[in-house]
Amino acid sequence: MLLEVTLSGVTLGGMYALVAMGLTLQYGVARIMNLSYGELLIAAAFAALWFYSGLALSPLLGLLVVPPLAFALSYAIYRILLQPLVRRAKTRDALEVDSILATFGLLFVIQGVMLAAFGGAYYSYSFLSIPLHIAGATVAANRLLALVLAVVIGLGLYLALTRTRLGTAVRAVAVDPVAAQLVAIDVRTASALAFALGGALVAAAGVLVSMFLTFNANLGVVFTLKALVVVIMGGVGNLLGALIAGLVLGLVENYVAVFVDPGLTLAATYAIFLLVLLVRPQGLLGRSSR
Amino acid sequence: MMRMALGALAVSAAAMLAVAPASAQDKVKIGYAISKTGPNAGGASITQIPNYEMWVKDVNAKGGLMIGGKRVPIEVVEYDDRSNSEEAVRAVERLVTQDKVDLLFPPWGTGLNLAVGPVFNKYGYPQLTFSAVTDRAPELAKRWPNSFWLLGTSKQYVDALADLLKKMRSEGKIGPNIAMISIADGFGIDLSQAARKSFTDAGFKLAYDKSYPIGTQDLSPLIGEAQRSGADTFVAFSYPPDTMALTEQSKVASYAPKVMFLGVGVGFPMYPQRFGANAEGIMSLGGWSKDNASTAAYAKKHEEMFKRGPDRWGSQIGYSSLQMLEQAIERVGKIDRAAIIKELQTGTFDTVLGKVKLVDNQMKDNYWLIGQWQDGFFVGVAPQRPGVGTPTVPKAPWKP
């Protein structure tokens, strides 16, 4: 039983981490507090649904197509909509406020387009909902896939950020955009890339999540909020932190649901969040992208 | 010739002028505020908005409502209440005072209908709710005689379910233990409270009884606990996303209780679409008559118009309520809201559900409280009334 709860907690946590990793890049490196983040996730979920029911293709194929599209879209959004804000912002705080307002508007644009196209009704489909038995415990293949991808993406990007030249540049921008310029790093390009990469990540999360969650055009904010909790808990801009914080949240929620009371899962989530903020305000693994 | 034509024109113009004031109305303005965005939008756009659109289209296709011997077309004013009760109240006030609508349609859900109830009452507009389940319905109908509570009370549903389970137990089909979970929100709290009493009174024991917060994205811990409780009846008062997740995660966990009763969403068209043969045997609120040609025709029309079927719980009741309103208006023959309310309270109406006569502003035995998916049809299995289906117990094992 303990194993079963742990396994389901880890898969849930993997999903949280997957959903949060894009935001940690956008917020930590590009310094854009993107409130329309969850909407992009839902849009990707609709795209996966369209792949599955409209084109009768596997949503896994969507995983190859949707994130690159989201990358291009996010890149364009950053260059056209957000770069002017970055240019005129005098301080980091000013940029934060401006980006919150701008992406708040973007939220309604994306949501409105989805409402016009799909209405407010719920959508869902079944894919890979196959039970896998691991050491006596059972887990759904689609949820496990989300966990595996979260770990692969998390570790892969971590290595890319720490072992490559471009990754080092991106980290430098996260730590100090002004000093980064002094050592000839193209801050704007690095930020745009980080923002676009965040968009691609959240689109991947949307495609995966659509395989097991029921969604509608209004559900984006739920994911934005969860991602924000994970990002702040793990340390803004810290991919490994997001991975660990997501897993911690998933495990805690499921342990509390089984051993205490399922009604207290939300309370437990926010209790841990508060505790982390009190003890380690910079997040579990600290602020900058390490 | 030219002069004659002009003369004729002048005469006919004069005739038109003379007629115009005599026809009191050239259109009927109907307004509604409904959740097009926010958490209620999912339910509203499946059960409620299609009914409004379909009825208006149907009536206008006939030329409009028959008022005072002539057809008067309907004009619609629609607002989004953003799933917010203050917004709903403001919008309804605005519909009455600014848009000066002749009639109002209700919003979606128990909470919002309770919120706008005083406004409907203040201005004397009939409020035909069909997406609100509350045990206070009889009391509310007394306090606001203009309000009609067509979807019934929580107690009605859980009593019907308890009766059904009791019968199964006496036939030796199920044991005395029930595992129950409920969402920590209006619907789940109301229904689970009523069920706790009803099940205990019927001699059942709640082996597992927990609530979970809205937006829970993994229900496998609850399914595991229900499984370990040893109960062979599983009851969940859940919302659509959880209903879908519960079905899927139960299948993955190979949890197959003999009776599986789930909440809102089982009657949605996406449910059998997604689960196919695995929907077989799942029970929920609502249900359809197998032999009712008019609900079948209604479902077909719904499918043609919206590319998806109706909700097998509230939809047919909703369309019936609009038919009742239509007939009440035509019988009164003018937009006299007090007379329309009176007619709704006392008249007998022809609806897709059959003949309906309200008792204390509520429907009595006009629809099914409990249904079960059988051979791809959501059959009504309770209460006991003509055409009742026989529940299949135990539920068939999950298919891969």
Side-chain angles (χ1 to χ4, degrees):
Chain A
M1 180 173 131
L2 185 67
L3 180 75
E4 197 174 309
V5 181
T6 308
L7 195 61
S8 74
V10 170
T11 50
L12 178 68
M15 184 194 105
Y16 288 159
L18 185 65
V19 169
M21 279 192 279
L23 189 67
T24 209
L25 279 181
Q26 294 190 337
Y27 190 31
V29 180
R31 317 218 171 213
I32 301 294
M33 180 54 241
N34 185 2
L35 286 187
S36 66
Y37 184 78
E39 266 58 36
L40 200 58
L41 184 142
I42 299 292
F46 273 117
L49 175 74
W50 182 69
F51 253 84
Y52 184 71
S53 54
L55 302 179
L57 290 171
S58 159
L60 289 174
L61 265 172
L63 215 47
L64 297 178
V65 179
V66 180
L69 284 178
F71 184 91
L73 179 73
S74 300
Y75 191 82
I77 288 175
Y78 186 84
R79 285 291 187 186
I80 297 165
L81 184 76
L82 300 171
Q83 201 138 301
L85 301 183
V86 177
R87 214 171 280 143
R88 76 161 195 234
K90 288 198 181 65
T91 63
R92 189 186 174 132
D93 292 340
L95 176 59
E96 205 156 285
V97 172
D98 286 354
S99 70
I100 284 176
L101 291 176
T103 54
F104 192 50
L106 193 61
L107 180 164
F108 289 106
V109 173
I110 303 178
Q111 195 183 65
V113 169
M114 289 194 293
L115 279 171
F118 299 96
Y122 287 110
Y123 288 88
S124 79
Y125 62 94
S126 251
F127 185 75
L128 276 185
S129 111
I130 310 159
L132 294 179
H133 303 283
I134 298 171
T138 313
V139 62
N142 46 23
R143 285 180 187 254
L144 194 65
L145 182 66
L147 167 70
V148 169
L149 261 145
V151 173
V152 168
I153 293 174
L155 291 179
L157 278 177
Y158 172 76
L159 290 177
L161 284 177
T162 46
R163 302 287 152 87
T164 68
R165 203 180 160 78
L166 186 64
T168 312
V170 167
R171 280 191 299 138
V173 173
V175 174
D176 192 335
V178 178
Q181 274 174 327
L182 297 178
V183 290
I185 291 171
D186 185 347
V187 172
R188 273 182 204 155
T189 306
S191 297
L193 281 179
F195 188 83
L197 194 57
L201 283 184
V202 72
V207 171
L208 284 165
V209 158
S210 77
M211 295 175 195
F212 51 89
L213 288 187
T214 302
F215 54 93
N216 69 5
N218 292 298
L219 221 61
V221 62
V222 174
F223 292 100
T224 310
L225 276 182
K226 202 77 186 197
L228 195 59
V229 169
V230 174
V231 165
I232 293 178
M233 244 180 89
V236 175
N238 195 318
L239 281 167
L240 276 191
L243 188 60
I244 290 170
L247 291 176
V248 167
L249 278 190
L251 278 171
V252 166
E253 276 192 20
N254 280 10
Y255 282 142
V256 168
V258 169
F259 299 113
V260 188
D261 191 301
L264 293 176
T265 49
L266 266 188
T269 301
Y270 286 101
I272 292 215
F273 183 45
L274 263 181
L275 194 73
V276 170
L277 282 184
L278 284 174
V279 181
R280 273 187 74 84
Q282 70 275 41
L284 287 175
L285 294 196
R287 200 168 164 93
S288 58
S289 326
R290 242 172 284 157
Chain B
M1 188 65 194
M2 188 66 179
R3 199 173 296 160
M4 252 177 74
L6 273 176
L9 212 69
V11 169
S12 62
M16 268 166 67
L17 276 177
V19 170
S23 78
Q25 241 168 337
D26 55 358
K27 63 183 181 215
V28 176
K29 225 176 176 186
I30 295 184
Y32 58 90
I34 199 152
S35 309
K36 300 210 111 182
T37 55
N40 289 354
S45 39
I46 284 179
T47 314
Q48 204 141 331
I49 299 171
N51 271 323
Y52 290 169
E53 289 174 356
M54 190 167 160
W55 180 78
V56 170
K57 191 170 162 237
D58 286 354
V59 172
N60 279 344
K62 288 188 278 189
L65 289 164
M66 184 64 100
I67 296 177
K70 110 179 184 1
R71 294 259 171 212
V72 184
I74 295 172
E75 189 190 286
V76 169
V77 186
E78 184 194 56
Y79 291 125
D80 177 12
D81 64 32
R82 306 207 314 257
S83 306
N84 172 316
S85 48
E86 286 98 65
E87 194 66 40
V89 169
R90 248 198 309 273
V92 172
E93 285 266 5
R94 186 187 158 84
L95 284 166
V96 174
T97 56
Q98 305 271 316
D99 300 311
K100 305 214 179 330
V101 296
D102 296 303
L103 291 161
L104 289 167
F105 287 160
W108 185 87
T110 313
L112 289 194
N113 270 296
L114 290 176
V116 300
V119 188
F120 273 71
N121 184 255
K122 181 169 79 178
Y123 295 110
Y125 281 70
Q127 183 184 6
L128 288 146
T129 70
F130 61 93
S131 54
V133 178
T134 165
D135 275 334
R136 292 169 58 209
E139 173 204 330
L140 289 167
K142 262 197 211 102
R143 192 197 307 166
W144 303 325
N146 63 309
S147 70
F148 300 84
W149 303 85
L150 306 179
L151 202 59
T153 63
S154 335
K155 190 170 170 346
Q156 273 177 298
Y157 288 96
V158 295
D159 282 354
L161 179 60
D163 278 350
L164 210 58
L165 295 175
K166 213 165 142 181
K167 188 155 166 280
M168 292 173 194
R169 193 187 54 200
S170 68
E171 288 164 357
K173 287 177 179 161
I174 57 169
N177 289 327
I178 297 178
M180 176 170 87
I181 65 168
S182 53
I183 190 146
D185 190 53
F187 167 82
I189 296 168
D190 260 31
L191 269 288
S192 62
Q193 260 171 10
R196 232 160 260 140
K197 182 172 180 329
S198 201
F199 289 161
T200 326
D201 288 352
F204 285 99
K205 196 175 147 277
L206 283 165
Y208 184 67
D209 173 11
K210 295 283 179 197
S211 78
Y212 61 91
I214 270 191
T216 300
Q217 279 155 347
D218 183 10
L219 291 152
S220 62
L222 286 98
I223 293 168
E225 288 299 286
Q227 204 164 8
R228 279 184 281 276
S229 76
D232 53 12
T233 297
F234 179 68
V235 175
F237 296 111
S238 49
Y239 279 165
D242 334 323
T243 303
M244 307 302 281
L246 281 170
T247 314
E248 174 151 330
Q249 297 199 297
S250 297
K251 185 193 133 199
V252 168
S254 310
Y255 173 47
K258 288 179 179 155
V259 172
M260 188 159 197
F261 178 96
L262 306 174
V264 194
V266 172
F268 285 6
M270 70 170 174
Y271 194 82
Q273 220 173 350
R274 170 158 172 188
F275 296 112
N278 276 325
E280 279 305 288
I282 305 282
M283 294 168 67
S284 183
L285 310 113
W288 277 47
S289 300
K290 248 191 160 154
D291 50 1
N292 185 338
S294 46
T295 47
Y298 162 73
K300 193 160 166 277
K301 201 164 63 175
H302 194 292
E303 227 150 288
E304 278 160 12
M305 196 169 159
F306 304 103
K307 308 283 170 272
R308 62 160 185 263
D311 167 21
R312 305 275 154 165
W313 180 18
S315 278
Q316 47 175 356
I317 303 167
Y319 194 76
S320 299
S321 79
L322 298 169
Q323 290 180 307
M324 291 166 62
L325 185 66
E326 175 183 346
Q327 288 161 30
I329 296 167
E330 295 189 347
R331 280 178 211 165
V332 170
K334 57 184 179 214
I335 303 296
D336 175 348
R337 284 180 287 271
I340 293 169
I341 291 168
K342 181 116 192 86
E343 179 58 31
L344 284 168
Q345 287 166 339
T346 54
T348 306
F349 303 91
D350 273 316
T351 71
V352 290
L353 288 169
K355 289 233 178 298
V356 173
K357 187 178 184 326
L358 298 184
V359 183
D360 298 328
N361 289 15
Q362 293 164 69
M363 283 199 185
K364 280 276 168 321
D365 281 341
N366 291 111
Y367 56 89
W368 302 105
L369 295 168
I370 309 291
Q372 184 183 39
W373 282 106
Q374 294 178 1
D375 298 322
F377 192 92
F378 195 55
V379 187
V381 293
Q384 295 300 318
R385 50 186 275 253
V388 67
T390 317
T392 315
V393 198
K395 185 192 115 45
W398 301 107
K399 291 175 189 67

